Amino acid sequence: MSGSWSGPVVETADGRLRGAAANGVVAFRGVPYAAPPVGPLRFAAPRPPARWAGVRDATSPGDASPQMLSTPLPRRFGALLGTAGSRSEDCLALTVHAPSGPSSSPVGRAVLVWLHGGAYAVGRGDDYDGSPLAREGDVVVVTVNYRLGAFGFLDLRAVLEGTSAADRAVANAGLRDQVAALEWVRENIAAFGGDPTRVTLAGESAGAGSATALMAAPSTRGLFRGVIAASGALSQLTDGDDAAGVAREVVARLGSFPDRPERLWDASTTALLTAVRGAVSTRPQRLSTRPVWDGDLLPSTEAAGLEAAASRCASGVALLAGTNRDEHAFFTTLRFPVLPLTRSRLAVMIAAQHGNAGAARVLARYPDTREGLVRLGTHTLFTVPTLTLLDACAEAGGDAWGYRLDWRSPLLRMGAFHALDLALIFPPRPALARLVLGRPDPEVAAMAARLRARWLTFVREGRPGDGSPAPAAPADGRTDAGWPRHTAGRRPTLIVDRRDTVVDDPDGDDAAVWSGLGTLRP
């Protein structure tokens, strides 16, 4: 990496980039990792980017994928969902943050690749400032934009079968974008001081679902050695029949068929977004455009995907996975209908997938109260899928660690709600910090620092570390004596709070009602 009065310059496989330096970190923004997926490349697998001559400016963020929320949210919550910033179909770009000084390692720094969340429908990589993590952890941080909604997760294979356009679209284009970004990291991250053999793939919510799905993808072998999955796992994916139903609804609203499949490519960005919004309105309180078990990039079923992900753990990919105690409160309080919001809706969904007897068994465990609904939704949609993955990895002989965030935010009485951990890992702007974290509190700041330290140690060393000197053991039987690897029988879980503790299977009694049923696809 060289420098000049106008900013640091790096040489990548595609050409030279000029970034910016500030506070001990260099940043390169809007770096193309694939060709623009526009025109005939809409819905296609990502293609390599074109080389450029001279020095390309890399001081401005790239556009996010086109996106449209299915329901309005208060403006102050936009930063939690990535609803701001410019958008276009030319969105396959990433941002690199790296410490500006020399690395103490002769092979370079460990690398964290971050996949944003947002129900596979909203968000952008640059909502997450990687510079504090790069500076604090002496790592290289890469945040990625990928195609969302219809542009990344509309499975058109069934509706295009037998037409002249059958070979123009792939399933899981958004996941394939993420693979292309990982391949770019493998080829180029050394130029930024990173070690391509020490890459951790991390994400929250849909980003965690993506990261765990890519554990099951044969094509990603060798692209990362660890995965951090916060509030998301394999149950977020769907099957081919469900995906085809969404696609048929979208193309019907575009008037594309039976004789004009080309309208999928001729339609404007706005027309396609409007068609998706209409299709989503017929499928309330559930994920719509999302990854699919396609039998190509991924296995063809969730069971096969779980087995493949566990096999990756057994072959040396370490897993750090966790949830927040009150995940579901985020959706019910803000009325964000990408997941089931009510007890009755959850009951219908459980019965449809696991039978009336299974639904009755699950529902009997949770009281019909606000607190009971939060527990039911949290365990059904987040806790049980995460424990299922942790158990499978541990049983396969892999290294895995589980955690649960219990600290309660003062915001709208939502407790440890979905996405709260983002405010601890990526320190937010002061106004958002006050909203989500409350008044400045040294104990909360220390808790956040410990959680970041555990994540960053995992990125550097493949294990989470202790975060900070352990406090004295509390008197209620919980223990601070280290954070053991996950085992399916014991399930040692780090409880993240003002004082971190380790508890064996803290959700075990509730999770036990799911024994023999499997996870729920939202």
Side-chain angles (χ1 to χ4, degrees):
M1 191 182 305
S2 61
S4 71
W5 65 272
S6 55
V9 175
V10 298
E11 181 83 34
T12 73
D14 303 309
R16 290 183 291 169
L17 296 165
R18 174 172 287 115
N23 301 318
V25 174
V26 294
F28 296 84
R29 299 181 170 88
V31 180
Y33 65 84
V38 299
L41 297 184
R42 178 190 275 180
F43 310 123
R47 309 290 176 85
R51 287 186 54 83
W52 59 84
V55 179
R56 181 184 181 115
D57 179 73
T59 58
S60 299
D63 286 354
S65 174
Q67 53 199 263
M68 183 182 294
L69 285 172
S70 60
T71 184
L73 286 172
R75 183 178 301 275
R76 58 182 173 169
F77 297 117
L80 293 176
L81 294 172
T83 58
S86 59
R87 308 164 190 166
S88 74
E89 291 190 53
D90 181 4
C91 62
L92 301 188
L94 52 79
T95 290
V96 180
H97 284 97
S100 56
S103 171
S104 59
S105 170
V107 294
R109 296 179 169 94
V111 181
L112 171 65
V113 176
W114 177 255
L115 304 178
H116 68 79
Y120 304 100
V122 298
R124 61 190 297 129
D126 283 291
D127 285 332
Y128 305 90
D129 180 7
S131 60
L133 293 180
R135 185 167 45 248
E136 191 173 322
D138 194 37
V139 298
V140 178
V141 180
V142 181
T143 55
V144 181
N145 286 343
Y146 53 94
R147 282 175 282 182
L148 301 170
F151 305 94
F153 298 104
L154 189 66
D155 184 5
L156 294 164
R157 293 173 300 164
V159 294
L160 291 175
E161 186 176 4
T163 74
S164 59
D167 62 349
R168 295 182 62 184
V170 296
N172 291 318
L175 291 186
R176 295 172 192 270
D177 295 342
Q178 297 164 6
V179 176
L182 287 165
E183 292 171 340
W184 184 94
V185 167
R186 179 184 60 193
E187 299 301 320
N188 293 285
I189 206 64
F192 302 84
D195 179 358
T197 70
R198 291 195 296 154
V199 174
T200 295
L201 182 62
E204 184 268 346
S205 194
S210 297
T212 55
L214 293 183
M215 292 175 69
S219 62
T220 65
R221 287 192 175 273
L223 294 179
F224 50 85
R225 68 166 190 173
V227 167
I228 300 176
S231 303
L234 299 176
S235 64
Q236 293 179 359
L237 280 70
T238 193
D239 60 29
D241 289 343
D242 179 62
V246 176
R248 290 190 183 98
E249 178 74 17
V250 171
V251 300
R253 290 173 179 273
L254 283 174
S256 303
F257 287 86
D259 57 347
R260 295 192 61 195
E262 68 276 3
R263 284 205 62 192
L264 283 164
W265 286 266
D266 296 339
S268 68
T269 301
T270 300
L272 190 53
L273 285 171
T274 301
V276 171
R277 186 168 190 170
V280 168
S281 70
T282 69
R283 304 161 63 85
Q285 299 187 37
R286 61 179 303 184
L287 293 173
S288 293
T289 50
R290 52 172 155 172
V292 58
W293 298 110
D294 61 359
D296 183 14
L297 176 69
L298 301 176
S300 56
T301 66
E302 182 179 345
L306 180 63
E307 182 179 353
S311 176
R312 290 293 290 277
C313 287
S315 67
V317 173
L319 174 66
L320 178 62
T323 59
N324 303 345
R325 186 182 60 185
D326 308 306
E327 302 264 13
H328 198 238
F330 174 86
F331 302 94
T332 56
T333 303
L334 300 182
R335 309 306 298 172
F336 190 43
V338 297
L339 293 176
L341 300 181
T342 64
R343 183 181 178 90
S344 60
R345 178 71 68 168
L346 282 162
V348 169
M349 193 169 287
I350 297 169
Q353 295 181 40
H354 299 302
N356 292 332
R361 189 174 88 191
V362 170
L363 293 170
R365 178 68 194 176
Y366 301 91
D368 189 4
T369 62
R370 179 185 183 276
E371 180 183 351
L373 173 60
V374 169
R375 284 174 50 211
L376 171 63
T378 298
H379 293 156
T380 300
L381 302 169
F382 297 96
T383 307
V384 171
T386 297
L387 289 175
T388 299
L389 179 60
L390 283 165
D391 285 353
C393 284
E395 289 172 344
D399 289 338
W401 291 264
Y403 71 88
R404 190 182 77 188
L405 174 61
D406 276 20
W407 179 77
R408 298 177 62 83
S409 165
L411 178 63
L412 299 179
R413 297 176 55 235
M414 290 194 292
F417 61 85
H418 186 69
L420 175 61
D421 45 346
L422 296 178
L424 306 178
I425 297 297
F426 295 92
R429 296 183 299 275
L432 184 60
R434 180 66 178 267
L435 181 71
V436 175
L437 304 178
R439 297 178 183 275
D441 184 327
E443 287 190 353
V444 174
M447 174 189 68
R450 290 193 304 272
L451 183 59
R452 289 195 303 274
R454 295 181 194 278
W455 278 37
L456 290 166
T457 300
F458 183 85
V459 173
R460 291 191 306 267
E461 302 177 16
R463 60 178 185 85
D466 62 5
S468 68
D476 59 1
R478 301 199 296 181
T479 175
D480 292 303
W483 182 7
R485 287 173 175 81
H486 187 88
T487 59
R490 180 182 167 192
R491 289 177 173 167
T493 302
L494 178 75
I495 303 297
V496 179
D497 209 329
R498 290 177 179 271
R499 180 166 58 181
D500 297 345
T501 56
V502 172
V503 182
D504 285 351
D505 205 6
D507 296 297
D509 290 342
D510 291 322
V513 301
W514 285 92
S515 177
L517 295 179
T519 58
L520 181 77
R521 185 179 71 238

